[in-house]
Amino acid sequence: MKYAELGAFLRSRRERIRPADVGLPSGPRRRVPGLRREEVAHLAGASVDYYNELERGAGSQPSEQMLAALARALRLSGDERDYLYRIADRPVPVQGGAASHVHPGMLDLLGRLDSTPAQVITDLHVTLVQNPLAVALLGDQSGFRGPRASLVHRWFTEPDARRLYPEDDHEEKSRSFVADLRAAAGRRDADDAEVGSMIRTLLRVSPEFAALWADHDVAFRRREDRKRLVHPTLGLIEVNCLHLFSEDGRQRLLWFTPAVGTDSAGLLELLSVVGTQEVVEPTVSAATRTAGTSPRQRG
């Protein structure tokens, strides 16, 4: 019963949420307040048996990734998320990593965008949460850890990370990533360890990044951006990528709409048929090994 308080806290948070708050139908025969256990398990990507064990205060200690998923499923506030980690005997993660807390309001908006690809990322391009259509369009980004969680890091250290974009667009994307990273660094504290470590690593291992960084270009990503994406099944898809920024600029809700004058509307409709895109394990470059990162581990 070591985690009895954890189980009681999860149960109390589950019972306060209405199904409609997380995009679920209420149904005519709902006998319990709030969500059912199986619904929380589904939202968090856990098995029902495992979640039941957690609410009973039994079982093994939940991982940091599972706690982050539960915090999002239960729409916890920042204070509630921190409390959840503490009673589970886990360190509260620093803001900016893959386990960063997503504001409940942003999660609510993401849940309402069920007919278009959408995801929440950090200012360092770490993907925090995706809807199913975003996974189908961009691949599942949930398995990357450490520095590799950032697409900017992977872009300059792992050649396979660039396969999502046509080769003709790579030079422009590299310049855009570097300018956006400099803007993000300027918004953070001068001694911010996360962005400082990323910049030092990329300067050391990527001559391309170093050359672009020396140009001192600064450009925060536009609120609307046209992209050409290469899907392994559907081919080239041209989309508009729209951005909604959090108040502090640390997180962005992105959603993708078909570009006018293209056949992308029909292609995006096919995403639900094609299903989840498998992210191919990248070939880790010598630069990545030098940076001390390891290949993605599949759960």
Side-chain angles (χ1 to χ4, degrees):
M1 298 300 292
K2 178 180 179 181
Y3 299 115
E5 173 58 22
L6 173 64
F9 182 67
L10 290 174
R11 184 167 57 255
S12 71
R13 300 305 87 182
R14 172 175 61 82
E15 291 177 349
R16 71 173 181 172
I17 299 179
R18 298 173 301 175
D21 294 337
V22 292
L24 296 175
S26 297
R29 298 182 179 179
R30 186 171 293 271
R31 299 176 181 177
V32 296
L35 299 179
R36 300 185 178 101
R37 291 185 181 90
E38 57 267 27
E39 290 170 335
V40 176
H42 172 73
L43 291 170
S47 72
V48 177
D49 288 342
Y50 177 75
Y51 182 76
N52 286 339
E53 288 289 304
L54 288 180
E55 278 209 7
R56 288 201 297 268
S60 60
Q61 182 187 28
S63 68
E64 294 178 35
Q65 291 75 31
M66 177 52 61
L67 292 173
L70 289 170
R72 293 166 188 168
L74 295 170
R75 301 298 193 264
L76 301 187
S77 67
D79 290 338
E80 289 171 332
R81 191 285 304 260
D82 292 353
Y83 180 71
L84 177 66
Y85 274 80
R86 292 190 179 102
I87 60 178
D89 294 329
R90 293 289 188 185
V92 176
V94 296
Q95 190 65 8
S100 291
H101 182 62
V102 184
H103 190 282
M106 195 166 281
L107 279 175
D108 180 61
L109 284 174
L110 179 69
R112 296 176 187 275
L113 295 171
D114 56 0
S115 61
T116 190
Q119 61 184 18
V120 178
I121 68 172
T122 72
D123 57 341
L124 301 185
H125 294 262
V126 175
T127 300
L128 302 179
V129 61
Q130 300 173 283
N131 70 7
L133 288 179
V135 174
L137 177 64
L138 306 170
D140 185 352
Q141 305 296 314
S142 64
F144 296 106
R145 297 288 179 263
R148 298 183 66 237
S150 167
L151 176 58
V152 177
H153 177 94
R154 300 197 305 276
W155 182 267
F156 288 103
T157 60
E158 301 174 16
D160 283 348
R162 303 191 175 199
R163 295 195 304 178
L164 183 61
Y165 294 93
E167 188 173 354
D168 289 346
D169 296 350
H170 288 182
E171 182 178 351
E172 184 276 331
K173 292 300 298 181
S174 294
R175 188 169 296 278
S176 175
F177 275 137
V178 173
D180 189 59
L181 178 60
R182 188 178 285 277
R187 283 176 171 263
R188 295 191 176 206
D189 295 335
D191 58 351
D192 185 278
E194 184 185 21
V195 70
S197 175
M198 176 181 291
I199 293 169
R200 288 191 299 272
T201 297
L202 292 177
L203 286 172
R204 185 175 71 252
V205 304
S206 172
E208 179 190 15
F209 178 87
L212 292 171
W213 189 257
D215 289 340
H216 292 272
D217 290 341
V218 183
F220 207 55
R221 295 298 289 269
R222 298 185 296 272
R223 295 185 182 275
E224 181 175 346
D225 188 18
R226 186 153 174 166
K227 296 178 181 290
R228 298 197 305 161
L229 304 174
V230 180
H231 190 276
T233 302
L234 301 178
L236 187 68
I237 306 177
E238 294 190 55
V239 296
N240 296 314
C241 177
L242 296 97
H243 301 230
L244 176 66
F245 296 87
S246 63
E247 186 174 355
D248 62 2
R250 290 284 192 101
Q251 294 183 5
R252 314 169 187 187
L253 172 63
L254 312 181
W255 67 101
F256 302 85
T257 61
V260 175
T262 71
D263 59 355
S264 297
L267 293 175
L268 289 179
E269 289 179 358
L270 288 174
L271 285 176
S272 59
V273 178
V274 172
T276 300
Q277 178 187 156
E278 176 70 14
V279 176
V280 177
E281 178 67 31
T283 302
V284 180
S285 66
T288 298
R289 290 194 294 270
T290 302
T293 55
S294 59
R296 173 184 171 187
Q297 299 296 316
R298 295 188 184 277

